[in-house]
Amino acid sequence: RSVSSKVVSVDRSVTAHQLGVSVGELEAVTVPCVQLDSLVMNHRLNAIDILMIDTEGYDATVLSTLDLAHTRPLVIQFEHGHMSVKNLGIAFSLLQSHLYSVMYG
C-alpha cells in the first residue's frame, strides 16, 4: 500500500506507529542537519526569545546541542509525548541545571 505523509522522526518505530504501518513500509530519507550551537553561530543570533523543538522523541538530544550557558532562550518548549522517561529526565535536569523553571503538562 502507498502511504504519503510528512510525518518524520529519527526513530522509524515512532513514525510507523503514528502512521499505523510497519517499519518496513517506510522510506528512509537523509537530510542535512546542524546542531543548535552551529545554527546560532552561523546566523549570528544574539538572542533567542522562543525555542520550539518537536522532533518526535529526539527533543532531549536536540536540546543538548545548545550551550545554555551561552545562549539562553527566554522560553523553551518541546514535545514530550514520544520521549522516554529517561530522556525526559535528562531534558528536565539540563534545563533545571541552567535555572530554567520546568512546567510539565
Side-chain angles (χ1 to χ4, degrees):
R1 94 183 137 156
S2 176
V3 175
S4 177
S5 175
K6 293 181 181 159
V7 175
V8 297
S9 175
V10 173
D11 185 342
R12 296 177 110 203
S13 65
V14 169
T15 303
H17 175 74
Q18 287 182 322
L19 295 174
V21 299
S22 72
V23 172
E25 294 178 79
L26 299 175
E27 176 185 358
V29 177
T30 302
V31 296
C33 299
V34 302
Q35 294 185 347
L36 290 176
D37 274 343
S38 296
L39 186 68
V40 168
M41 185 177 64
N42 291 344
H43 293 277
R44 297 183 180 110
L45 300 175
N46 296 321
I48 298 174
D49 293 332
I50 300 173
L51 173 63
M52 296 182 71
I53 304 170
D54 184 355
T55 55
E56 305 304 318
Y58 207 62
D59 306 63
T61 303
V62 171
L63 180 59
S64 72
T65 69
L66 182 64
D67 180 0
L68 292 172
H70 179 262
T71 304
R72 293 199 42 88
L74 298 175
V75 174
I76 299 173
Q77 179 179 337
F78 60 91
E79 181 186 52
H80 61 276
H82 298 292
M83 290 177 71
S84 68
V85 172
K86 177 183 175 184
N87 285 337
L88 190 57
I90 291 168
F92 282 7
S93 293
L94 175 65
L95 292 169
Q96 290 170 335
S97 73
H98 289 279
L99 305 178
Y100 280 93
S101 297
V102 175
M103 292 181 273
Y104 180 83

